[in-house]
Amino acid sequence: MSGNQSKTGKTLSVGIENWEIIDNGTTVQHVDLLLENRALDGTVSLSFGSAILDGANRGQVLVAARLRMNMVIAQALRDTLDQIIKDELNPPKPEKPN
C-alpha cells in the first residue's frame, strides 16, 4: 500500500468474500457537465466536468472524472441512479394525524 492510501476499516461483499475498502484520498468533485458518454466493445466510457465561472472571464471546464466500466457495472449504476432520482422526485407523503 502506498503512502497516501489508508485502510477505512470497511468492507464490501464481493461474491462470498469481503474485500477491504482502501481510501487513496480522492477528493469529492461536484460535476456540472457530461463530457463523454459512449460504449465500445462492452466498455462504457463516461467523463464529467466541473464548470469554472470567474467574474467576467470566459468559462472553463475542468475534467473532474473519467470512468470506464463493463456493462454489468453500467447497468447497476443506471439502476441505482434511477432509484435515487425516483426517490428524490417523489418523496414519501407525510401521514395525516388522526
Side-chain angles (χ1 to χ4, degrees):
M1 191 162 39
S2 69
N4 62 347
Q5 293 180 340
S6 64
K7 294 183 178 185
T8 64
K10 298 178 181 179
T11 60
L12 177 69
S13 293
V14 179
I16 60 171
E17 297 181 4
N18 285 326
W19 291 8
E20 182 179 22
I21 298 174
I22 298 172
D23 184 356
N24 67 0
T26 302
T27 59
V28 174
Q29 299 286 324
H30 180 87
V31 296
D32 308 292
L33 302 160
L34 183 59
L35 305 177
E36 173 188 28
N37 59 330
R38 63 186 169 88
L40 180 64
D41 296 330
T43 298
V44 173
S45 300
L46 295 173
S47 294
F48 299 94
S50 299
I52 300 172
L53 300 171
D54 184 16
N57 297 324
R58 186 173 165 194
Q60 295 180 316
V61 178
L62 174 66
V63 175
R66 296 178 193 272
L67 304 176
R68 304 294 181 262
M69 63 194 84
N70 64 35
M71 283 295 169
V72 173
I73 296 301
Q75 289 171 327
L77 177 60
R78 178 203 58 205
D79 295 345
T80 300
L81 287 171
D82 184 55
Q83 190 60 54
I84 289 170
I85 292 166
K86 281 180 184 175
D87 292 348
E88 191 64 22
L89 294 178
N90 300 305
K93 306 226 185 309
E95 292 184 23
K96 294 181 181 179
N98 291 333

